Amino acid sequence: MLTPQRQQQILQQLAEQGQVLSKQLSVLFEVSEDTIRRDLRDMAKAGLLQRVYGGALPASAATATFSQRQQVAVASKRAIAKKAAGLISAGQVVIIDGGTTTTELLNHIPKDLSFTVVTHSPTIAVGLADFPLVDVVLIGGKLFKHSVVAVGAGAMESIARIQADLFFMGVTGVHPEAGLTTGDYEEACIKRALAGRAAETVVLASAEKVNAASAYAIGDITIANTLVVEAGTDSAWLQVIQQKGVVVLSD
């Protein structure tokens, strides 16, 4: 079997099973594990999968630039954001993460709802400028241009002073074993810190993030109290998530 044919079949196995193991692939294709590792390395370099110890997981499509991500899974993000917006109550302190799904959240918040938003995203802050009853606290720091959010020591210091009711977290991957992941180390640290300052963390998982993984772990899936997904998400996968104690909401 030629290398491109084998790699195509590896992708098919990955799509069907949600993960692949190097040892099992070497037996299936009757090649050495070194050959499989070479395949996985080349495929990861091409952005086709995410390598992990012993094998690979589906790569998230949510690691492109901010402007490119605005065009990905638009309907899914809209449906999820609409459902998530209903979780906000008057008088709450709500942390809103940066990202294209959380930005869509703003389109579904009633203009007559009075609450406070804390965010490290200038995009979110500006988007709330014409909400007369929403107080906005903007966390500063070094601008991470890929996601248009503040990161670094200054942001972490400000985060440590927050006590919030809700945190709407954006991620690039949600996977039962790999947990919650994102494509940047510093951003993963910020998200983890924000989750630690909220009574409840709500993860917004549009279609391209479900059962996918990126390079940097925010933490175990149980960091999320609630996971919001679109209707029609694989029921077997959702059952695995629910068995870990995470509440699942669909649009």
Side-chain angles (χ1 to χ4, degrees):
M1 181 182 293
L2 298 175
T3 298
Q5 294 173 312
R6 185 173 60 249
Q7 292 184 358
Q8 187 58 44
Q9 289 196 28
I10 290 173
L11 287 178
Q12 184 176 343
Q13 292 276 323
L14 193 56
E16 292 173 354
Q17 300 175 15
Q19 63 180 15
V20 292
L21 300 176
S22 300
K23 183 172 290 188
Q24 292 177 356
L25 290 175
S26 70
V27 173
L28 176 65
F29 296 113
E30 299 181 340
V31 296
S32 69
E33 284 193 60
D34 282 343
T35 298
I36 294 298
R37 281 192 286 268
R38 223 170 14 249
D39 283 339
L40 298 183
R41 184 168 58 246
D42 291 344
M43 294 164 76
K45 188 175 180 179
L48 299 174
L49 50 77
Q50 176 63 51
R51 291 183 72 198
V52 295
Y53 180 78
L57 299 174
S60 173
T63 54
T65 65
F66 189 88
S67 59
Q68 289 172 330
R69 296 199 311 276
Q70 287 180 310
Q71 310 306 316
V72 175
V74 175
S76 178
K77 291 174 182 176
R78 185 179 301 119
I80 289 166
K82 183 177 181 180
K83 184 70 175 183
L87 299 175
I88 303 172
S89 299
Q92 288 185 322
V93 176
V94 178
I95 303 170
I96 301 182
D97 201 355
T100 55
T101 309
T102 50
T103 299
E104 177 63 30
L105 182 69
L106 307 189
N107 293 326
H108 305 281
I109 296 174
K111 286 292 183 70
D112 61 351
L113 186 60
S114 175
F115 67 108
T116 298
V117 168
V118 179
T119 184
H120 66 314
S121 165
T123 304
I124 296 292
V126 171
L128 290 166
D130 62 346
F131 283 69
L133 301 180
V134 177
D135 289 330
V136 180
V137 178
L138 179 60
I139 294 172
K142 179 182 178 182
L143 184 67
F144 177 46
K145 295 180 181 179
H146 179 271
S147 298
V148 196
V149 294
V151 297
M156 292 292 280
E157 183 178 353
S158 297
I159 289 168
R161 302 177 186 276
I162 299 166
Q163 296 286 359
D165 298 290
L166 283 177
F167 170 37
F168 289 107
M169 179 192 286
V171 300
T172 59
V174 181
H175 192 279
E177 282 78 42
L180 306 173
T181 56
T182 192
D184 179 79
Y185 174 77
E186 280 201 79
E187 197 174 13
C189 293
I190 291 286
K191 292 175 186 291
R192 189 162 52 249
L194 287 168
R197 306 307 301 174
E200 181 180 356
T201 294
V202 179
V203 171
L204 309 181
S206 48
E208 81 282 11
K209 301 164 187 174
V210 169
N211 210 38
S214 295
Y216 298 99
I218 302 163
D220 189 75
I221 191 74
T222 55
I223 286 180
N225 302 97
T226 303
L227 179 69
V228 186
V229 297
E230 69 175 329
T233 300
D234 181 69
S235 58
W237 184 84
L238 291 178
Q239 187 174 13
V240 173
I241 299 298
Q242 290 171 318
Q243 287 172 349
K244 293 178 178 289
V246 180
V247 175
V248 176
L249 300 179
S250 61
D251 62 278

